[in-house]
Amino acid sequence: MNAQQVFTIGQEGLLQLLMVSAPVLLTVLAVGLVVSIFQAATQISEATLSFVPKVVAAVAVMAFAGPWMLSMLVEYLQRTLQAIPSAVG
């Protein structure tokens, strides 16, 4: 296994991580922005007002996109494990 193969595997892993985590992160970011604008407009500084909607949004996205995320991770793991024999020998 040479350095190019190691970098390729690392790059694929990071890209997979970005693709799988993007829906949850972007949703939580958008909900946090909306909630913070609401808090700034109404001057309500309740901690649970910023926490609970983000958790609810994250759970909703996981329920909706969870099967896709899991299938992406399983496919990546299968490809990686099947590539081990050719990388070693």
Coordinates of all heavy atoms in Angstrom, one line a residue:
M1 N 0.9 -1.2 0.0 CA 0.0 0.0 0.0 C 0.9 1.2 0.0 O 1.7 1.4 0.9 CB -0.9 0.0 1.2 CG -1.8 1.2 1.3 SD -2.9 1.1 2.7 CE -4.4 0.5 1.9
N2 N 0.7 2.1 -1.0 CA 1.6 3.3 -1.1 C 0.8 4.5 -0.5 O -0.4 4.4 -0.1 CB 2.0 3.5 -2.5 CG 0.8 3.7 -3.5 OD1 -0.3 3.9 -3.1 ND2 1.1 3.5 -4.8
A3 N 1.5 5.6 -0.5 CA 0.9 6.8 0.1 C -0.3 7.3 -0.7 O -1.2 7.8 -0.1 CB 2.0 7.9 0.1
Q4 N -0.3 7.1 -2.0 CA -1.4 7.6 -2.8 C -2.7 6.8 -2.4 O -3.8 7.4 -2.3 CB -1.1 7.4 -4.3 CG -2.2 7.8 -5.2 CD -2.5 9.3 -5.1 OE1 -1.5 10.1 -4.9 NE2 -3.7 9.8 -5.3
Q5 N -2.6 5.5 -2.2 CA -3.8 4.7 -1.8 C -4.3 5.2 -0.4 O -5.5 5.3 -0.2 CB -3.5 3.3 -1.8 CG -3.3 2.6 -3.2 CD -2.8 1.2 -3.1 OE1 -2.1 0.8 -2.2 NE2 -3.2 0.4 -4.1
V6 N -3.4 5.5 0.5 CA -3.8 5.9 1.8 C -4.5 7.2 1.7 O -5.5 7.5 2.4 CB -2.5 6.0 2.7 CG1 -2.9 6.7 4.1 CG2 -1.9 4.6 3.0
F7 N -4.0 8.2 0.9 CA -4.6 9.5 0.8 C -6.0 9.3 0.1 O -6.9 10.1 0.5 CB -3.7 10.4 0.0 CG -2.6 10.9 0.8 CD1 -1.3 10.9 0.3 CD2 -2.7 11.5 2.1 CE1 -0.2 11.3 1.0 CE2 -1.7 12.0 2.8 CZ -0.4 11.9 2.3
T8 N -6.1 8.4 -0.8 CA -7.4 8.2 -1.5 C -8.4 7.7 -0.6 O -9.6 8.1 -0.5 CB -7.2 7.3 -2.7 OG1 -6.2 7.9 -3.6 CG2 -8.5 7.1 -3.4
I9 N -8.0 6.7 0.2 CA -8.9 6.1 1.2 C -9.4 7.2 2.2 O -10.5 7.3 2.6 CB -8.3 4.9 1.9 CG1 -8.2 3.8 0.9 CG2 -9.1 4.5 3.1 CD1 -7.4 2.6 1.5
G10 N -8.4 8.0 2.7 CA -8.7 9.1 3.6 C -9.7 10.1 3.0 O -10.6 10.6 3.7
Q11 N -9.4 10.5 1.8 CA -10.2 11.5 1.1 C -11.7 10.9 0.9 O -12.6 11.7 1.1 CB -9.6 11.8 -0.3 CG -10.4 12.9 -1.0 CD -9.7 13.2 -2.4 OE1 -8.9 12.4 -2.9 NE2 -10.2 14.2 -3.0
E12 N -11.8 9.7 0.5 CA -13.1 9.1 0.4 C -13.9 9.0 1.7 O -15.1 9.3 1.8 CB -13.0 7.7 -0.2 CG -12.6 7.6 -1.7 CD -12.5 6.2 -2.2 OE1 -12.7 5.3 -1.4 OE2 -12.1 6.1 -3.4
G13 N -13.1 8.7 2.8 CA -13.8 8.7 4.1 C -14.2 10.0 4.5 O -15.3 10.2 5.1
L14 N -13.4 11.1 4.3 CA -13.9 12.4 4.7 C -15.0 12.9 3.9 O -15.9 13.6 4.4 CB -12.7 13.4 4.6 CG -11.6 13.2 5.6 CD1 -10.4 14.2 5.3 CD2 -12.1 13.5 7.0
L15 N -15.0 12.6 2.6 CA -16.1 13.0 1.7 C -17.4 12.3 2.1 O -18.5 12.9 2.2 CB -15.8 12.7 0.2 CG -16.9 13.1 -0.8 CD1 -17.1 14.6 -0.8 CD2 -16.5 12.6 -2.2
Q16 N -17.3 11.0 2.5 CA -18.5 10.2 2.9 C -19.0 10.8 4.2 O -20.2 11.0 4.4 CB -18.1 8.8 3.2 CG -19.2 7.8 3.3 CD -19.9 7.6 2.0 OE1 -19.4 7.7 1.0 NE2 -21.2 7.3 2.2
L17 N -18.1 11.2 5.2 CA -18.5 11.8 6.4 C -19.2 13.1 6.2 O -20.3 13.4 6.8 CB -17.3 12.0 7.3 CG -17.5 12.8 8.6 CD1 -18.3 11.9 9.6 CD2 -16.1 13.2 9.2
L18 N -18.7 13.9 5.2 CA -19.4 15.2 4.9 C -20.8 15.0 4.3 O -21.7 15.7 4.7 CB -18.5 16.0 4.0 CG -19.0 17.3 3.5 CD1 -19.0 18.3 4.7 CD2 -18.1 17.9 2.4
M19 N -20.9 14.0 3.4 CA -22.2 13.8 2.8 C -23.2 13.2 3.8 O -24.4 13.6 3.7 CB -22.0 12.8 1.6 CG -21.3 13.4 0.4 SD -21.2 12.3 -1.0 CE -22.9 11.9 -1.2
V20 N -22.8 12.4 4.7 CA -23.7 11.8 5.6 C -24.1 12.7 6.7 O -25.3 12.8 7.1 CB -23.1 10.5 6.2 CG1 -23.9 10.0 7.4 CG2 -23.0 9.4 5.2
S21 N -23.2 13.6 7.1 CA -23.5 14.5 8.2 C -24.2 15.8 7.7 O -24.8 16.5 8.6 CB -22.3 14.8 9.0 OG -21.4 15.5 8.3
A22 N -24.1 16.1 6.5 CA -24.6 17.4 5.9 C -26.1 17.6 6.2 O -26.4 18.7 6.6 CB -24.3 17.5 4.5
P23 N -27.0 16.7 6.0 CA -28.4 17.0 6.2 C -28.7 17.4 7.6 O -29.4 18.4 7.8 CB -29.1 15.7 5.8 CG -28.2 15.0 4.9 CD -26.8 15.3 5.4
V24 N -28.1 16.7 8.6 CA -28.4 17.0 10.0 C -27.8 18.3 10.3 O -28.4 19.2 10.9 CB -27.9 15.9 10.9 CG1 -28.1 16.3 12.3 CG2 -28.6 14.6 10.6
L25 N -26.5 18.5 9.9 CA -25.9 19.8 10.3 C -26.5 21.0 9.7 O -26.7 22.0 10.3 CB -24.4 19.7 9.9 CG -23.5 18.7 10.7 CD1 -22.1 18.7 10.1 CD2 -23.5 19.1 12.1
L26 N -26.9 20.9 8.4 CA -27.5 22.1 7.7 C -28.9 22.4 8.3 O -29.3 23.5 8.5 CB -27.6 21.8 6.2 CG -26.2 21.8 5.5 CD1 -26.4 21.4 4.0 CD2 -25.5 23.1 5.7
T27 N -29.6 21.3 8.7 CA -30.9 21.5 9.3 C -30.8 22.2 10.6 O -31.5 23.2 10.9 CB -31.7 20.2 9.4 OG1 -31.8 19.6 8.1 CG2 -33.1 20.4 10.0
V28 N -29.9 21.7 11.5 CA -29.7 22.3 12.8 C -29.2 23.7 12.7 O -29.6 24.6 13.4 CB -28.8 21.4 13.6 CG1 -28.3 22.1 14.9 CG2 -29.5 20.1 13.9
L29 N -28.4 24.0 11.7 CA -27.9 25.3 11.5 C -29.0 26.3 11.1 O -29.1 27.4 11.6 CB -26.8 25.3 10.4 CG -26.3 26.7 10.0 CD1 -25.4 27.3 11.1 CD2 -25.5 26.6 8.7
A30 N -29.9 25.8 10.2 CA -31.0 26.7 9.8 C -32.0 26.9 10.9 O -32.4 28.1 11.1 CB -31.7 26.0 8.6
V31 N -32.3 25.9 11.7 CA -33.2 26.0 12.8 C -32.6 26.9 13.8 O -33.3 27.8 14.4 CB -33.6 24.6 13.4 CG1 -34.3 24.8 14.7 CG2 -34.4 23.9 12.4
G32 N -31.3 26.8 14.1 CA -30.6 27.6 15.1 C -30.7 29.1 14.6 O -30.8 30.0 15.5
L33 N -30.5 29.3 13.4 CA -30.5 30.7 12.8 C -31.9 31.3 13.0 O -32.1 32.5 13.4 CB -30.1 30.7 11.4 CG -30.1 32.1 10.7 CD1 -29.0 33.0 11.4 CD2 -29.8 31.9 9.2
V34 N -32.9 30.5 12.7 CA -34.3 31.0 12.8 C -34.7 31.3 14.2 O -35.2 32.3 14.6 CB -35.3 30.0 12.1 CG1 -36.7 30.4 12.5 CG2 -35.1 30.0 10.6
V35 N -34.3 30.4 15.1 CA -34.6 30.6 16.5 C -33.8 31.8 17.1 O -34.4 32.6 17.9 CB -34.2 29.3 17.3 CG1 -34.3 29.5 18.8 CG2 -35.2 28.2 17.0
S36 N -32.6 32.0 16.7 CA -31.8 33.1 17.2 C -32.4 34.4 16.7 O -32.4 35.4 17.5 CB -30.3 33.0 16.9 OG -30.1 33.0 15.5
I37 N -32.8 34.4 15.5 CA -33.5 35.7 15.0 C -34.8 35.9 15.8 O -35.0 37.1 16.1 CB -33.7 35.5 13.5 CG1 -32.4 35.6 12.7 CG2 -34.7 36.6 13.0 CD1 -32.5 35.3 11.2
F38 N -35.5 34.9 16.0 CA -36.7 35.0 16.8 C -36.4 35.5 18.2 O -37.1 36.4 18.7 CB -37.5 33.7 16.9 CG -38.7 33.7 17.8 CD1 -39.9 34.3 17.4 CD2 -38.7 33.1 19.0 CE1 -41.0 34.4 18.2 CE2 -39.8 33.1 19.9 CZ -40.9 33.8 19.4
Q39 N -35.4 35.0 18.8 CA -35.0 35.4 20.2 C -34.5 36.9 20.2 O -34.8 37.6 21.1 CB -33.9 34.5 20.8 CG -34.4 33.2 21.3 CD -33.3 32.4 21.9 OE1 -32.2 32.4 21.4 NE2 -33.6 31.7 22.9
A40 N -33.8 37.3 19.2 CA -33.3 38.6 19.1 C -34.5 39.6 18.9 O -34.5 40.7 19.4 CB -32.3 38.8 18.0
A41 N -35.5 39.2 18.1 CA -36.6 40.1 17.8 C -37.5 40.2 19.0 O -38.1 41.3 19.2 CB -37.4 39.5 16.6
T42 N -37.7 39.1 19.7 CA -38.6 39.2 20.9 C -37.9 39.4 22.2 O -38.6 39.6 23.2 CB -39.4 37.9 21.0 OG1 -38.5 36.8 21.1 CG2 -40.3 37.7 19.7
Q43 N -36.6 39.4 22.2 CA -35.7 39.6 23.4 C -36.0 38.5 24.5 O -36.0 38.8 25.7 CB -35.9 41.0 24.0 CG -35.4 42.1 23.1 CD -35.5 43.4 23.7 OE1 -36.1 43.6 24.7 NE2 -34.9 44.4 22.9
I44 N -36.3 37.3 24.0 CA -36.5 36.2 24.9 C -35.2 35.5 25.0 O -34.7 35.1 24.0 CB -37.6 35.2 24.4 CG1 -39.0 36.0 24.4 CG2 -37.7 34.0 25.3 CD1 -40.1 35.1 23.7
S45 N -34.7 35.3 26.2 CA -33.4 34.6 26.3 C -33.5 33.3 27.1 O -32.8 33.0 28.0 CB -32.4 35.5 27.0 OG -32.8 35.8 28.3
E46 N -34.4 32.5 26.7 CA -34.7 31.2 27.3 C -33.8 30.2 26.6 O -33.7 30.0 25.4 CB -36.1 30.8 27.1 CG -36.5 29.4 27.7 CD -36.4 29.4 29.2 OE1 -36.6 30.5 29.9 OE2 -36.1 28.4 29.8
A47 N -33.0 29.4 27.5 CA -32.0 28.4 26.9 C -32.7 27.3 26.2 O -32.2 26.8 25.2 CB -31.1 27.9 28.0
T48 N -33.8 26.8 26.7 CA -34.5 25.7 26.1 C -35.1 26.1 24.8 O -35.4 25.2 23.9 CB -35.6 25.1 27.0 OG1 -36.5 26.2 27.3 CG2 -35.0 24.6 28.3
L49 N -35.4 27.4 24.6 CA -36.0 27.8 23.3 C -35.0 27.6 22.2 O -35.4 27.4 21.0 CB -36.4 29.3 23.4 CG -37.1 29.8 22.2 CD1 -38.4 29.1 21.9 CD2 -37.4 31.3 22.3
S50 N -33.7 27.7 22.5 CA -32.7 27.5 21.4 C -32.3 26.0 21.3 O -31.8 25.6 20.2 CB -31.5 28.3 21.6 OG -30.8 27.9 22.8
F51 N -32.5 25.2 22.3 CA -32.0 23.8 22.4 C -33.1 22.8 21.8 O -32.8 22.0 21.0 CB -31.6 23.4 23.8 CG -31.2 22.0 23.9 CD1 -29.9 21.7 23.4 CD2 -31.9 21.1 24.5 CE1 -29.5 20.4 23.5 CE2 -31.5 19.8 24.6 CZ -30.2 19.4 24.1
V52 N -34.3 23.0 22.3 CA -35.4 22.0 21.9 C -35.7 22.0 20.5 O -35.8 20.9 19.9 CB -36.6 22.2 22.8 CG1 -37.8 21.4 22.4 CG2 -36.3 22.0 24.3
P53 N -35.9 23.1 19.8 CA -36.2 23.0 18.3 C -35.0 22.4 17.5 O -35.3 21.6 16.6 CB -36.3 24.5 17.9 CG -36.7 25.2 19.2 CD -36.0 24.5 20.3
K54 N -33.8 22.6 17.9 CA -32.7 22.0 17.2 C -32.7 20.4 17.4 O -32.4 19.7 16.4 CB -31.3 22.5 17.7 CG -31.1 23.9 17.2 CD -29.7 24.3 17.5 CE -29.7 25.4 18.5 NZ -28.3 25.9 18.9
V55 N -33.0 20.0 18.6 CA -33.1 18.5 18.9 C -34.2 17.9 18.1 O -34.1 16.9 17.5 CB -33.2 18.3 20.4 CG1 -33.5 16.8 20.6 CG2 -31.9 18.7 21.1
V56 N -35.4 18.6 18.1 CA -36.5 18.1 17.3 C -36.2 18.0 15.8 O -36.5 17.0 15.2 CB -37.8 18.9 17.6 CG1 -38.9 18.6 16.7 CG2 -38.2 18.8 19.1
A57 N -35.6 19.1 15.3 CA -35.2 19.1 13.9 C -34.2 18.0 13.6 O -34.3 17.3 12.5 CB -34.7 20.5 13.5
A58 N -33.2 17.8 14.4 CA -32.2 16.7 14.2 C -32.9 15.3 14.2 O -32.6 14.5 13.3 CB -31.1 16.8 15.2
V59 N -33.8 15.1 15.1 CA -34.5 13.8 15.2 C -35.4 13.6 13.9 O -35.4 12.5 13.4 CB -35.3 13.7 16.5 CG1 -36.2 12.5 16.4 CG2 -34.4 13.6 17.7
A60 N -36.0 14.7 13.5 CA -36.9 14.6 12.3 C -36.0 14.3 11.1 O -36.4 13.4 10.2 CB -37.6 15.9 12.1
V61 N -34.9 14.9 10.9 CA -34.0 14.7 9.8 C -33.5 13.2 9.9 O -33.4 12.6 8.8 CB -32.9 15.7 9.7 CG1 -31.8 15.3 8.7 CG2 -33.4 17.1 9.4
M62 N -33.1 12.8 11.1 CA -32.6 11.4 11.2 C -33.7 10.4 10.8 O -33.4 9.4 10.2 CB -32.1 11.2 12.6 CG -30.8 11.9 12.9 SD -29.4 11.3 12.0 CE -29.1 9.8 12.8
A63 N -34.9 10.7 11.2 CA -36.0 9.8 10.9 C -36.3 9.8 9.3 O -36.6 8.7 8.8 CB -37.3 10.2 11.6
F64 N -36.1 10.9 8.7 CA -36.4 11.0 7.3 C -35.2 10.6 6.5 O -35.4 9.8 5.5 CB -36.7 12.5 6.9 CG -37.0 12.7 5.5 CD1 -38.2 12.3 4.9 CD2 -36.1 13.4 4.7 CE1 -38.5 12.4 3.6 CE2 -36.4 13.6 3.3 CZ -37.5 13.1 2.8
A65 N -34.0 11.0 6.8 CA -32.8 10.7 6.0 C -32.0 9.5 6.6 O -31.0 9.2 6.0 CB -32.0 11.9 5.8
G66 N -32.4 9.0 7.7 CA -31.6 7.9 8.3 C -31.4 6.7 7.5 O -30.3 6.2 7.4
P67 N -32.4 6.2 6.8 CA -32.2 5.0 5.9 C -31.1 5.3 4.8 O -30.3 4.5 4.5 CB -33.5 4.7 5.3 CG -34.5 5.3 6.3 CD -33.8 6.5 6.9
W68 N -31.2 6.5 4.2 CA -30.2 6.9 3.2 C -28.8 7.0 3.8 O -27.9 6.5 3.2 CB -30.6 8.2 2.6 CG -29.6 8.7 1.6 CD1 -29.3 8.3 0.4 CD2 -28.7 9.8 1.9 NE1 -28.3 9.1 -0.1 CE2 -27.9 9.9 0.8 CE3 -28.4 10.6 3.1 CZ2 -26.8 10.9 0.7 CZ3 -27.4 11.5 3.0 CH2 -26.6 11.6 1.9
M69 N -28.7 7.6 4.9 CA -27.4 7.8 5.6 C -26.8 6.4 5.9 O -25.7 6.1 5.7 CB -27.6 8.6 6.9 CG -28.0 10.0 6.6 SD -28.6 10.9 8.0 CE -27.1 11.1 8.9
L70 N -27.7 5.5 6.4 CA -27.2 4.2 6.8 C -26.8 3.4 5.6 O -25.7 2.7 5.6 CB -28.3 3.4 7.6 CG -27.9 2.1 8.1 CD1 -26.8 2.2 9.1 CD2 -29.1 1.4 8.7
S71 N -27.5 3.5 4.5 CA -27.1 2.8 3.3 C -25.8 3.3 2.7 O -25.0 2.5 2.2 CB -28.3 2.8 2.2 OG -28.4 4.1 1.7
M72 N -25.6 4.6 2.8 CA -24.4 5.2 2.3 C -23.2 4.7 3.1 O -22.1 4.3 2.6 CB -24.4 6.7 2.4 CG -25.4 7.4 1.4 SD -24.8 7.4 -0.2 CE -23.5 8.7 -0.1
L73 N -23.4 4.6 4.4 CA -22.3 4.2 5.3 C -22.0 2.7 5.1 O -20.8 2.3 5.1 CB -22.6 4.4 6.8 CG -22.6 5.9 7.2 CD1 -23.1 6.1 8.6 CD2 -21.2 6.5 7.0
V74 N -23.1 1.9 4.9 CA -22.9 0.4 4.7 C -22.1 0.2 3.4 O -21.2 -0.6 3.3 CB -24.2 -0.3 4.8 CG1 -24.1 -1.7 4.2 CG2 -24.7 -0.3 6.2
E75 N -22.5 0.9 2.3 CA -21.9 0.8 1.0 C -20.4 1.2 1.1 O -19.6 0.5 0.5 CB -22.6 1.6 0.0 CG -23.9 1.1 -0.4 CD -24.7 2.0 -1.4 OE1 -24.1 3.0 -1.8 OE2 -25.9 1.8 -1.6
Y76 N -20.1 2.2 1.8 CA -18.7 2.7 2.0 C -17.9 1.6 2.7 O -16.8 1.3 2.4 CB -18.7 4.0 2.7 CG -17.2 4.4 3.0 CD1 -16.4 4.8 2.0 CD2 -16.8 4.4 4.3 CE1 -15.1 5.2 2.3 CE2 -15.5 4.7 4.6 CZ -14.6 5.1 3.6 OH -13.3 5.5 3.9
L77 N -18.5 1.1 3.8 CA -17.8 0.1 4.6 C -17.6 -1.2 3.8 O -16.5 -1.8 3.8 CB -18.6 -0.2 5.8 CG -18.0 -1.2 6.8 CD1 -16.6 -0.6 7.3 CD2 -18.9 -1.4 8.0
Q78 N -18.6 -1.6 3.0 CA -18.4 -2.8 2.1 C -17.3 -2.6 1.1 O -16.4 -3.4 0.9 CB -19.7 -3.1 1.4 CG -20.7 -3.7 2.3 CD -22.1 -4.0 1.6 OE1 -22.3 -3.4 0.6 NE2 -22.9 -4.8 2.2
R79 N -17.3 -1.4 0.5 CA -16.2 -1.1 -0.5 C -14.8 -1.1 0.2 O -13.9 -1.6 -0.4 CB -16.5 0.3 -1.2 CG -17.5 0.3 -2.2 CD -17.4 1.6 -3.1 NE -17.2 2.8 -2.3 CZ -18.1 3.6 -1.8 NH1 -19.4 3.3 -2.1 NH2 -17.8 4.7 -1.2
T80 N -14.8 -0.5 1.3 CA -13.5 -0.4 2.0 C -13.0 -1.8 2.5 O -11.8 -2.2 2.3 CB -13.6 0.5 3.3 OG1 -14.1 1.8 2.8 CG2 -12.3 0.7 3.9
L81 N -13.9 -2.6 3.0 CA -13.5 -4.0 3.4 C -13.1 -4.9 2.3 O -12.3 -5.7 2.4 CB -14.6 -4.6 4.3 CG -14.8 -3.9 5.7 CD1 -16.0 -4.6 6.4 CD2 -13.6 -4.0 6.5
Q82 N -13.8 -4.7 1.1 CA -13.5 -5.5 0.0 C -12.2 -5.1 -0.7 O -11.6 -5.9 -1.4 CB -14.7 -5.5 -1.0 CG -15.9 -6.2 -0.5 CD -17.1 -6.0 -1.4 OE1 -17.1 -5.2 -2.4 NE2 -18.2 -6.7 -1.1
A83 N -11.8 -3.9 -0.4 CA -10.5 -3.4 -1.0 C -9.3 -3.8 -0.2 O -8.2 -3.6 -0.7 CB -10.6 -1.9 -1.2
I84 N -9.5 -4.3 1.0 CA -8.4 -4.7 1.8 C -7.5 -5.7 1.2 O -6.2 -5.5 1.1 CB -8.8 -5.1 3.2 CG1 -9.3 -3.9 4.0 CG2 -7.7 -5.8 4.0 CD1 -9.9 -4.2 5.3
P85 N -8.0 -6.8 0.6 CA -7.1 -7.8 0.0 C -6.2 -7.3 -1.1 O -5.1 -7.6 -1.2 CB -8.0 -8.9 -0.5 CG -9.3 -8.7 0.3 CD -9.4 -7.3 0.6
S86 N -6.8 -6.4 -1.9 CA -6.0 -5.9 -3.0 C -5.0 -4.8 -2.6 O -3.9 -4.7 -3.2 CB -6.9 -5.2 -4.1 OG -7.6 -4.1 -3.6
A87 N -5.3 -4.2 -1.5 CA -4.4 -3.2 -0.9 C -3.2 -3.8 -0.2 O -2.1 -3.4 -0.3 CB -5.1 -2.2 0.0
V88 N -3.4 -5.0 0.4 CA -2.4 -5.6 1.2 C -1.5 -6.5 0.3 O -0.3 -6.5 0.4 CB -3.0 -6.5 2.3 CG1 -2.0 -7.4 3.0 CG2 -3.7 -5.6 3.3
G89 N -2.1 -7.2 -0.6 CA -1.4 -8.2 -1.4 C -1.2 -7.7 -2.8 O -0.5 -7.8 -3.6

